[in-house]
Amino acid sequence: MEDDNSPPPPPEQQPPPPPSHTGSPTDFLKGVVGKRVIVRLTSGVDYRGILSCLDGYMNIALEQTEEHVNGVVTNRYGDAFIRGNNVLYISADEPL
Amino acid sequence: MDPSSSGIQEPFDLIRLSLSERVFVKLRGDRQLTGILHAYDGHMNLILSDVEETIMIVEVDDENATAGPKTVNVAKRKMDMLFVRGDGVILVSPPSRT
């Protein structure tokens, strides 16, 4: 049987354009310095703020930091140093 | 790409700028400290003076065990001088500089 009833090709529902930032994890980290980030600790606590800088241990300095526990703001810090061993991930909170 | 606010090059600069200032320290085990920072090292071992420790003690009610922690008791104590082992440190926040 001719397959002229084959399903149409998928419409131009193309995947979103590839992220403009490809590269190593280090490139990502360099890219987010100075940007708003979400830092999640292994305890599940989130810190949202502006990433001032970080080092090779993933120690982090944040500005205008909000501490979120279960989605609720529990503390605010003008500056915060986070010891790197507690970090689970760093997520960009604004377009790079 | 200097951070706009201050000349912080690495995270430890934040700590260095807080020497002789009162800092807030969040520790493992639901403990917090405030004290005057006298010294630190690369492990984040700290020497603090005039310290107040705040310990959050969560008591889960047996009946409401699934409803999450309800009872929080806070214990406080003061110490004149304290050495903090660095591996217990989660966060250090300097006094707000404006």
Side-chain angles (χ1 to χ4, degrees):
Chain A
M1 175 161 75
E2 291 296 329
D3 201 15
D4 46 7
N5 280 343
S6 62
E12 48 267 34
Q13 182 194 356
Q14 285 157 354
S20 56
H21 285 256
T22 52
S24 66
T26 303
D27 293 336
F28 170 82
L29 292 175
K30 285 179 182 170
V32 292
V33 170
K35 301 281 206 309
R36 297 201 65 84
V37 295
I38 304 170
V39 177
R40 173 159 291 186
L41 307 189
T42 52
S43 61
V45 181
D46 282 350
Y47 291 93
R48 292 167 174 254
I50 298 170
L51 181 63
S52 298
C53 56
L54 40 74
D55 67 14
Y57 294 110
M58 218 166 282
N59 294 324
I60 291 171
L62 283 180
E63 299 172 6
Q64 301 173 30
T65 309
E66 290 180 345
E67 178 182 83
H68 292 248
V69 179
N70 299 323
V72 180
V73 176
T74 51
N75 238 326
R76 293 178 203 275
Y77 310 102
D79 287 298
F81 172 101
I82 299 171
R83 198 172 187 265
N85 66 302
N86 302 292
V87 174
L88 180 63
Y89 64 62
I90 302 169
S91 168
D93 199 19
E94 63 177 289
L96 296 185
Chain B
M1 66 183 202
D2 236 11
S4 54
S5 65
S6 51
I8 294 180
Q9 306 294 328
E10 60 169 35
F12 277 111
D13 289 350
L14 210 56
I15 308 302
R16 185 171 46 80
L17 293 169
S18 308
L19 285 168
S20 304
E21 307 263 18
R22 183 164 288 274
V23 295
F24 169 89
V25 183
K26 189 174 159 74
L27 294 175
R28 292 173 173 267
D30 297 317
R31 289 162 191 265
Q32 301 175 354
L33 303 172
T34 63
I36 296 174
L37 180 65
H38 287 269
Y40 69 95
D41 65 14
H43 301 289
M44 283 303 283
N45 296 322
L46 306 172
I47 304 289
L48 299 173
S49 72
D50 191 17
V51 188
E52 181 175 78
E53 178 182 22
T54 304
I55 310 166
M56 308 291 197
I57 302 163
V58 179
E59 295 177 1
V60 180
D61 301 341
D62 288 340
E63 302 164 6
N64 272 343
T66 56
K70 290 290 185 189
T71 312
V72 178
N73 284 335
V74 176
K76 296 198 180 211
R77 58 174 174 169
K78 290 181 171 21
M79 288 153 284
D80 287 337
M81 191 64 78
L82 188 67
F83 172 94
V84 182
R85 190 178 150 98
D87 64 355
V89 173
I90 296 175
L91 176 145
V92 180
S93 180
S96 57
R97 288 179 289 117
T98 46

